[in-house]
Amino acid sequence: MLPRTHCGDFTVMHIGQTVRLNGWTQTNRDHGGVVFLDVRDRSGLVQVVVHPDTAEIHKLAHAMRQQDVIEVVGEVIARSEEAVNPKLPTGEIEIKATEIVILNSAETPPFMVEDDCDTSEQIRLEYRYLDLRRPKMQRLMELRHRVTHAARNYLDSQSFLEIETPILNKSTPEGARDYLVPSRVYPGSFFALPQSPQIFKQLLMVAGMDRYYQIARCFRDEDLRADRQPEFTQVDIELSFANQDEVMAVAEGLLRAMFDAGVGIRLPEEFPRITYHEAMDKYGLDRPDVRFDLEHVNITELMKKVEFKVFRDPADKGGLVKVMRVPGGASSLSRKQIDDYTKFVSIYGARGLAWIKVNDKSDLPGGLQSPIVKFLPEEILAEMLEACSAENGDLLFFGAGDTTVVNDALGHLRVKLGQDLGLVAENDHRFVWVVDFPMFAWNADEKRPEALHHPFTAPSAEDLDKLESDPLNICSQAYDLVWNGTEIGGGSIRIHNPETQARVFKVLGISDEEADAKFGFLVNALKYGAPPHGGLAFGLDRVLSLMAGVDSIRDVIAFPKTQKAADPMSDAPSEVADEQWKELGLRKRPTIKES
């Protein structure tokens, strides 16, 4: 039997050869008795021609339907000059069929299996095996393969070991809800699916593995968005005897290899860095998009001098007042657009959006247009304009109130303005490390500090002596990598000293008994010669979706879940038989019907 030749591999070099191909019929066209079949497999598409002088084959080809699975034997011939298709890699040749076998007939698919299908995502996911047959989806799966292959090759070259960590694990919540798996052997006990391999990769460092990596499956039972899935994949690494700079250098090299293999983009040899506080001060978000220059200016101290309560109250009571200058915005943004932006910031808790149009800064206050100008003294207006480097024609937006709300609202407004005003250039890839994160954040509900990242993150060496006395004002050795305003990965140097780990648990309000119950095996391991170590994880699905320019990470996952964490193809999750409940020692609670 002839060896199989893939449909997209044919070139003029094959002319005159007899070949065998397999694939799916994409189209069937009859031109004056000559039947043309477009046959596709993963490699691409080729045209097969069937002439009437081969009566049996011609009849079969004429009756063939879209998506029939076929085998074709024939001769590779050159297309006539007028029939050459320069848009098709195989457009200079065609296959003159001498044999055709239908390997499997297909029913009419629920949507056109082509890139331009306009069916809903729900239907695409219900028939995902057909959706994946589309060329676009196959290109995305090939992209995923190339990127993960490049990640493995790079990490292998850096002496990392690929080691698998457990999927069935102990529940050690890291912020999101665990997916729980009941144990049949231990009735009433549960395994948890891993939210990350965090503890086990630290234990591998204690075990002397030195450099670990894993393309790790992770699970989080949380509310979903376009960039979230209940099960997702991380490129996970951990290094022993490494400081923050060394971990970040490995991560940069890994990302360069992934981008080069995935989309042929050469990333810079070194990524810039910005501190967490600088990011929040200038951009309002800890994942700043640095492709454009709109920046915030803190005018809280200045606003303590005014009587205008909207600004004065937050300035006096520990809040925040900021201004953001939009160059040329006075003429480019209408009052309706400003009102729309006011509605937009309300999504993030802002009660309003004050603004000033700078028409003539030499004429104060007459050269300024805004309902709030009359509440601000001339000298304050002059200082404010100077602080934000305002020029004639600019528009100033203000945020005032709770620090978190102001940063969140103005930070997202900045991103929206960058998009709306065309400040973001296409194919501009900007990476920035955000470093020196706070070690803790204040949990107002529980009235205690909580770990901003996770409780195994090491505090800054300079701040270690303030761990108990001033926990909310110390920095951690944590770092996030941001790409065009999206966090794609993060990590930290870990606590390797058991005494320091115990101190952190106490700051977090975790008792010795609770620490032993949740993390005892890790804490015990630290007592047996744990090396200094640190690591990082990239969200592979998120990186791939950004590389591919798709709106949802579902497009780069072969079999994703919907935003409701369901699989319409397999109908998961589903009920299980009563016998399984009994085997697990569980009882089903009656469903409460809504009135």
Side-chain angles (χ1 to χ4, degrees), residues 206-223:
V206 179
M209 293 298 110
D210 196 71
R211 290 189 164 204
Y212 139 96
Y213 84 91
Q214 184 179 187
I215 310 296
R217 298 292 285 172
C218 303
F219 307 84
R220 293 180 187 174
D221 186 7
E222 59 184 348
D223 296 333

Side-chain angles (χ1 to χ4, degrees), residues 43-172:
S43 67
L45 180 144
V46 69
Q47 180 172 280
V48 174
V49 58
V50 185
H51 292 276
D53 55 1
T54 54
E56 185 176 344
I57 300 174
H58 183 268
K59 181 179 179 182
L60 188 64
H62 198 278
M64 204 166 289
R65 297 180 299 179
Q66 288 186 23
Q67 302 307 313
D68 281 350
V69 187
I70 67 172
E71 178 172 283
V72 177
V73 175
E75 180 186 358
V76 182
I77 62 174
R79 291 197 191 193
S80 61
E81 187 174 340
E82 64 274 11
V84 168
N85 184 352
K87 297 180 181 179
L88 194 66
T90 59
E92 294 182 271
I93 59 91
E94 58 192 9
I95 312 299
K96 183 179 180 182
T98 56
E99 298 178 37
I100 294 181
V101 178
I102 297 180
L103 302 175
N104 206 351
S105 296
E107 293 184 4
T108 302
F111 55 85
M112 296 295 291
V113 183
E114 56 189 26
D115 283 350
D116 293 331
C117 74
D118 58 358
T119 191
S120 68
E121 185 183 53
Q122 182 73 16
I123 297 298
R124 286 175 50 212
L125 293 179
E126 185 176 349
Y127 296 92
R128 187 62 163 183
Y129 42 85
L130 293 179
D131 190 40
L132 287 172
R133 205 181 288 173
R134 295 190 300 131
K136 174 185 176 181
M137 297 304 298
Q138 295 194 341
R139 289 193 298 271
L140 291 175
M141 293 303 105
E142 289 168 0
L143 171 66
R144 189 180 188 102
H145 164 75
R146 290 196 307 274
V147 169
T148 54
H149 183 67
R152 282 191 166 96
N153 283 346
Y154 172 78
L155 292 168
D156 287 347
S157 75
Q158 300 296 310
S159 301
F160 282 78
L161 299 178
E162 183 173 12
I163 303 175
E164 294 174 333
T165 54
I167 293 295
L168 295 176
N169 192 9
K170 183 177 183 178
S171 179
T172 54

Side-chain angles (χ1 to χ4, degrees), residues 212-384:
Y212 139 96
Y213 84 91
Q214 184 179 187
I215 310 296
R217 298 292 285 172
C218 303
F219 307 84
R220 293 180 187 174
D221 186 7
E222 59 184 348
D223 296 333
L224 305 175
R225 300 193 299 269
D227 62 345
R228 299 284 176 90
Q229 281 280 289
E231 54 179 315
F232 56 96
T233 304
Q234 289 182 177
V235 181
D236 201 53
I237 66 173
E238 196 79 8
L239 298 75
S240 290
F241 306 106
N243 59 31
Q244 178 171 301
D245 291 338
E246 290 168 318
V247 175
M248 292 163 70
V250 169
E252 289 177 9
L254 171 59
L255 204 62
R256 280 194 292 271
M258 292 165 66
F259 268 76
D260 188 27
V263 287
I265 294 175
R266 304 290 295 181
L267 299 185
E269 288 301 312
E270 189 173 345
F271 299 165
R273 302 182 186 186
I274 185 174
T275 68
Y276 169 85
H277 290 293
E278 186 180 359
M280 297 302 292
D281 196 45
K282 287 185 176 181
Y283 308 111
L285 302 174
D286 61 5
R287 52 184 192 283
D289 189 336
V290 295
R291 290 175 293 176
F292 55 98
D293 294 331
L294 297 183
E295 293 184 2
H296 301 170
V297 175
N298 189 330
I299 55 171
T300 306
E301 289 300 316
L302 181 62
M303 290 302 108
K304 290 181 179 180
K305 303 177 183 178
V306 304
E307 298 298 325
F308 185 40
K309 287 189 175 182
V310 173
F311 289 171
R312 175 70 179 266
D313 283 355
D316 280 344
K317 297 176 181 178
L320 180 65
V321 186
K322 275 184 167 184
V323 58
M324 177 172 60
R325 178 175 74 95
V326 183
S331 58
S332 63
L333 294 175
S334 68
R335 181 59 189 268
K336 180 183 182 306
Q337 287 174 300
I338 294 173
D339 291 342
D340 289 341
Y341 289 133
T342 303
K343 294 177 184 176
F344 174 78
V345 297
S346 69
I347 298 172
Y348 303 96
R351 295 183 178 179
L353 182 64
W355 54 272
I356 293 176
K357 288 187 176 183
V358 183
N359 298 322
D360 184 358
K361 67 177 185 177
S362 66
D363 176 20
L364 298 181
L368 304 181
Q369 178 184 347
S370 169
I372 69 169
V373 169
K374 61 186 177 183
F375 300 111
L376 302 175
E378 182 177 332
E379 62 273 16
I380 296 295
L381 290 170
E383 286 188 56
M384 182 186 66

Side-chain angles (χ1 to χ4, degrees), residues 326-468:
V326 183
S331 58
S332 63
L333 294 175
S334 68
R335 181 59 189 268
K336 180 183 182 306
Q337 287 174 300
I338 294 173
D339 291 342
D340 289 341
Y341 289 133
T342 303
K343 294 177 184 176
F344 174 78
V345 297
S346 69
I347 298 172
Y348 303 96
R351 295 183 178 179
L353 182 64
W355 54 272
I356 293 176
K357 288 187 176 183
V358 183
N359 298 322
D360 184 358
K361 67 177 185 177
S362 66
D363 176 20
L364 298 181
L368 304 181
Q369 178 184 347
S370 169
I372 69 169
V373 169
K374 61 186 177 183
F375 300 111
L376 302 175
E378 182 177 332
E379 62 273 16
I380 296 295
L381 290 170
E383 286 188 56
M384 182 186 66
L385 293 178
E386 183 179 358
C388 64
S389 303
E391 299 292 343
N392 292 341
D394 291 348
L395 175 64
L396 310 181
F397 283 121
F398 297 84
D402 174 78
T403 297
T404 300
V405 171
V406 170
N407 279 330
D408 212 23
L410 275 191
H412 285 92
L413 177 61
R414 174 184 177 272
V415 173
K416 185 166 178 58
L417 284 165
Q419 296 167 346
D420 292 352
L421 299 176
L423 304 179
V424 179
E426 290 187 15
N427 300 317
D428 186 9
H429 302 280
R430 300 286 187 92
F431 295 83
V432 61
W433 286 105
V434 180
V435 300
D436 296 343
F437 278 85
M439 183 80 175
F440 304 103
W442 182 251
N443 186 321
D445 295 332
E446 299 181 17
K447 299 188 181 340
R448 64 171 182 84
E450 62 182 7
L452 193 66
H453 281 77
H454 56 64
F456 317 115
T457 298
S460 168
E462 294 80 7
D463 290 341
L464 190 57
D465 60 342
K466 299 188 294 183
L467 186 57
E468 290 84 4

Side-chain angles (χ1 to χ4, degrees), residues 172-212:
T172 54
E174 295 179 28
R177 299 182 190 91
D178 284 328
Y179 274 103
L180 300 177
V181 180
S183 170
R184 178 184 60 81
V185 180
Y186 299 96
S189 295
F190 293 80
F191 294 104
L193 302 183
Q195 294 188 31
S196 84
Q198 181 62 47
I199 291 179
F200 284 99
K201 68 179 183 177
Q202 290 192 243
L203 292 173
L204 287 170
M205 297 303 101
V206 179
M209 293 298 110
D210 196 71
R211 290 189 164 204
Y212 139 96

